[in-house]
Amino acid sequence: MVAQQSFAGWYRNRLVWVAVILLATLAGTIVLVNRAGPEAEPADVQAQIMTRMRATLERADPGQHNHAGHGGQQAATGKEKPAVICGVRVYGYEPAEVTALAEVRTVYGFHLCGIAEQKRPWDVAVKLAGPVIIDMSSEPPGIQVVEATADTRFVDRLREMFPDKYEELALKEALAESEMADLRRRYDAAAGI
């Protein structure tokens, strides 16, 4: 009889511990999923700026970051406007010593965006690309692109608009490999490819 009571107590305690372990595992999984979710705030200012810059460009009408004669959504013929999917690179921001996103006034960087029309592959998509300045002090943020005019070459216009410390970067740098891979993945998903 003692053996049966001992076994029943051990068995009952084992079920309690299994339940505790399962609950702890579930709670840990929920915490990890919430941290990795798309709404999670990046930890550093640079990552927050990239996220805000990308979101600003993707929400804006493509005409606001139009380059080289590409009309925004010129190939769009459907009822619903296709999504604009962007990759960005931040060259720098002002004031440079800020510790919070809300304190950033101007962002200097590069953008490459594709207009994700359904079933249109990246290689033939309408693209918008080049150096960009985002005015974060207004709502919605202002977008200025570097464009040549009839009287001003692209290089000269870039030098007029960008601070000296970012000019050389803006003339030769584009997206990081990881950002380009993420852009292509997000574009393919939006285009249904």
Side-chain angles (χ1 to χ4, degrees), residues 31-105:
V31 167
L32 288 174
V33 168
N34 285 339
R35 275 192 183 167
E39 68 281 347
E41 281 282 324
D44 63 287
V45 174
Q46 180 83 8
Q48 290 178 17
I49 291 170
M50 282 186 69
T51 301
R52 178 78 188 273
M53 185 177 173
R54 186 180 304 112
T56 297
L57 291 165
E58 289 180 350
R59 280 193 302 257
D61 182 277
Q64 289 181 276
H65 45 110
N66 178 21
H67 284 279
H70 289 287
Q73 298 185 18
Q74 67 189 25
T77 57
K79 297 173 186 103
E80 186 177 315
K81 288 185 178 182
V84 176
I85 307 299
C86 297
V88 298
R89 179 167 183 179
V90 175
Y91 297 143
Y93 48 89
E94 293 177 356
E97 65 281 346
V98 299
T99 58
L101 178 64
E103 299 169 353
V104 175
R105 295 290 159 239

Side-chain angles (χ1 to χ4, degrees), residues 117 119-127 184 187-188 191 193:
E117 296 177 86
K119 305 300 180 199
R120 182 176 288 257
W122 173 261
D123 294 341
V124 294
V126 174
K127 295 178 192 77
R184 291 291 302 268
Y187 176 89
D188 289 348
I193 297 174

Side-chain angles (χ1 to χ4, degrees), residues 68-186:
H70 289 287
Q73 298 185 18
Q74 67 189 25
T77 57
K79 297 173 186 103
E80 186 177 315
K81 288 185 178 182
V84 176
I85 307 299
C86 297
V88 298
R89 179 167 183 179
V90 175
Y91 297 143
Y93 48 89
E94 293 177 356
E97 65 281 346
V98 299
T99 58
L101 178 64
E103 299 169 353
V104 175
R105 295 290 159 239
T106 308
V107 177
Y108 299 94
F110 176 85
H111 76 300
L112 172 58
C113 301
I115 299 177
E117 296 177 86
Q118 286 301 302
K119 305 300 180 199
R120 182 176 288 257
W122 173 261
D123 294 341
V124 294
V126 174
K127 295 178 192 77
L128 312 162
V132 65
I133 300 170
I134 308 286
D135 176 6
M136 305 279 273
S137 64
S138 63
E139 193 55 49
I143 302 168
Q144 265 190 300
V145 295
V146 178
E147 290 186 294
T149 65
D151 301 327
T152 309
R153 296 180 318 149
F154 175 84
V155 171
D156 296 332
R157 184 72 178 128
L158 184 135
R159 288 196 167 113
E160 288 173 6
M161 295 173 68
F162 273 68
D164 294 343
K165 60 185 172 184
Y166 306 127
E167 285 176 4
E168 290 307 312
L169 264 176
L171 286 171
K172 60 185 174 186
E173 294 293 328
L175 297 181
E177 251 182 72
S178 60
E179 182 72 5
M180 187 65 196
D182 182 57
L183 168 62
R184 291 291 302 268
R185 180 190 53 74
R186 292 183 312 111

